[in-house]
Amino acid sequence: MPVHFEDLDVTATLSGIRSALIVPCNLCPAVTVAIREKRPFLRFFRSWVKSAPFEAYLKTLQDRLAKEGVRTDIFRNRLPHTWFMCMWTARRRRKLQKRAKNHDAVVVLGCESATRTVREVVPPDLSVIEGMRTTGIMNGRLRLRWPGHLAFENCEVVPLSRS
């Protein structure tokens, strides 16, 4: 099952920053948002590769940062095989490196592995900010419902043991 997250307030961390590239991992954070909002993760007949709850979450984050004076872009990963940041190809990483150079900071929406992927790729002088914190692993049931809604039901968060 996917990793579960809590949102972190990135506005204070981004004070004094003019622009940020938001780099989302499209599976675990999107599932977390869909479950939190009790909405389908995907709706195949509307957009089979976009999670509507996660797209709304990203838009809200952009709006909130814009009010703080931070210009944002999102590094999109539309193809399913690029949804997992921890498994990006060298080509995908080079694209991120190129895009990140045009910003003052990068906001990562994903797990610690996603953050490591970004830190390895972006220039060392660029701020890498975690936008979510891992709280556990979700345990639940995947359900396909008519008309083409993919949702998670009966989910609970299994905490990670920290050493």
Side-chain angles (χ1 to χ4, degrees):
M1 285 301 290
V3 174
H4 183 266
F5 298 101
E6 285 181 358
D7 298 336
L8 297 175
D9 183 14
V10 297
T11 53
T13 312
L14 288 171
S15 67
I17 300 285
R18 293 184 324 263
S19 67
L21 180 64
I22 300 170
V23 183
C25 190
N26 281 1
L27 186 69
C28 297
V31 171
T32 296
V33 171
I35 289 170
R36 180 173 55 211
E37 295 182 6
K38 295 177 177 45
R39 294 176 55 198
F41 167 60
L42 291 175
R43 293 169 20 195
F44 295 117
F45 296 120
R46 294 212 175 171
S47 177
W48 71 279
V49 294
K50 280 188 185 178
S51 174
F54 194 51
E55 289 298 317
Y57 174 87
L58 292 171
K59 177 72 173 127
T60 301
L61 177 59
Q62 282 188 293
D63 292 346
R64 195 168 68 237
L65 293 175
K67 286 180 184 174
E68 299 295 322
V70 180
R71 180 183 55 83
T72 58
D73 290 318
I74 299 174
F75 189 70
R76 298 283 181 182
N77 300 296
R78 296 200 200 286
L79 299 175
H81 73 281
T82 63
W83 279 8
F84 305 94
M85 248 192 272
C86 55
M87 297 189 293
W88 276 356
T89 62
R91 181 178 182 189
R92 191 82 193 135
R93 291 169 190 242
R94 282 191 305 271
K95 285 183 180 184
L96 172 60
Q97 185 178 46
K98 185 177 179 181
R99 286 275 307 278
K101 289 178 183 177
N102 299 323
H103 297 83
D104 301 325
V106 175
V107 176
V108 180
L109 300 178
C111 66
E112 289 81 356
S113 180
T115 302
R116 177 174 283 180
T117 297
V118 172
R119 284 189 202 280
E120 289 173 351
V121 170
V122 301
D125 60 329
L126 205 64
S127 296
V128 176
I129 299 156
E130 292 180 326
M132 295 180 149
R133 181 175 67 90
T134 303
T135 58
I137 299 171
M138 287 182 273
N139 185 342
R141 292 188 197 118
L142 189 62
R143 293 281 186 211
L144 183 60
R145 297 190 173 243
W146 183 254
H149 292 181
L150 184 64
F152 292 86
E153 295 178 347
N154 301 328
C155 291
E156 68 177 79
V157 177
V158 178
L160 296 173
S161 59
R162 306 245 184 221
S163 48

